[in-house]
């Protein structure tokens, strides 16, 4: 992940993990928070789902082709948690980055959608 990116610009997060023991299923947790600590996004995936459930070093990558981030300073946090969400190992904490706006949008996330004028229902 770069230190800054343009709103809507694709990005990837790559992390190296070394699973040292078997036990309860492990989960990679990725969180984005704003500067006040408010949770903006949380994504979790089981290491076994990725084919990375066995012991040993692994490289994991999350590709985000169309992020809905519009503008703001954010920080990335990465951790390995167990199936109950209990922290096993913090991989990265407080990695800051900045999203620059690409147009007239305001706010932290893009509000995507399509406007329309619905036909009125026939009245009595």
């Amino acid at each position: 992940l770069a230190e800054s990116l343009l709103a809507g610009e694709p990005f990837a997060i790559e992390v190296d993990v070394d699973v040292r023991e078997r036990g309860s299923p492990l989960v990679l947790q990725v969180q984005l928070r704003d500067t006040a600590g408010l949770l903006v996004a949380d994504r979790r995936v089981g290491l076994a789902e990725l084919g990375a459930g066995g012991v040993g070093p692994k490289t994991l990558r999350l590709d985000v082709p169309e992020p809905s981030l519009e503008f703001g300073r954010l920080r990335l946090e990465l951790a390995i948690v167990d199936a109950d969400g209990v922290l096993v190992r913090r991989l990265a904490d407080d990695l800051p980055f900045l999203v620059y706006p690409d147009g007239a949008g305001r706010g932290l996330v893009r509000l995507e959608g399509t406007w329309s004028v619905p036909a009125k229902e026939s009245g009595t």
Side-chain angles (χ1 to χ4, degrees), residues 55-75:
V55 175
K58 297 160 179 51
T59 299
L60 307 173
R61 180 181 171 108
L62 171 64
D63 288 293
V64 184
E66 296 181 34
S68 60
L69 302 171
E70 182 64 40
F71 172 71
R73 292 186 184 279
L74 301 169
R75 69 179 202 258

Side-chain angles (χ1 to χ4, degrees), residues 17-124:
V17 298
D18 190 0
V19 179
R20 297 179 186 245
E21 55 191 61
R22 292 187 186 268
S24 67
L26 297 178
V27 176
L28 175 64
Q29 178 183 41
V30 179
Q31 291 187 336
L32 293 178
R33 295 186 177 270
D34 69 6
T35 55
L38 179 69
L39 182 63
V40 174
D42 181 284
R43 177 83 187 262
R44 298 173 190 212
V45 63
L47 295 183
E49 292 174 54
L50 297 172
V55 175
K58 297 160 179 51
T59 299
L60 307 173
R61 180 181 171 108
L62 171 64
D63 288 293
V64 184
E66 296 181 34
S68 60
L69 302 171
E70 182 64 40
F71 172 71
R73 292 186 184 279
L74 301 169
R75 69 179 202 258
L76 173 71
E77 298 176 358
L78 295 164
I80 299 291
V81 298
D82 67 15
D84 296 323
V86 176
L87 179 67
V88 173
R89 188 173 327 124
R90 190 164 308 282
L91 302 173
D93 188 23
D94 201 23
L95 296 174
F97 67 100
L98 177 62
V99 178
Y100 290 101
D102 68 346
R106 297 287 183 259
L108 190 57
V109 296
R110 292 175 185 240
L111 184 57
E112 302 287 344
T114 304
W115 284 99
S116 65
V117 178
K120 293 190 178 198
E121 293 181 29
S122 298
T124 53

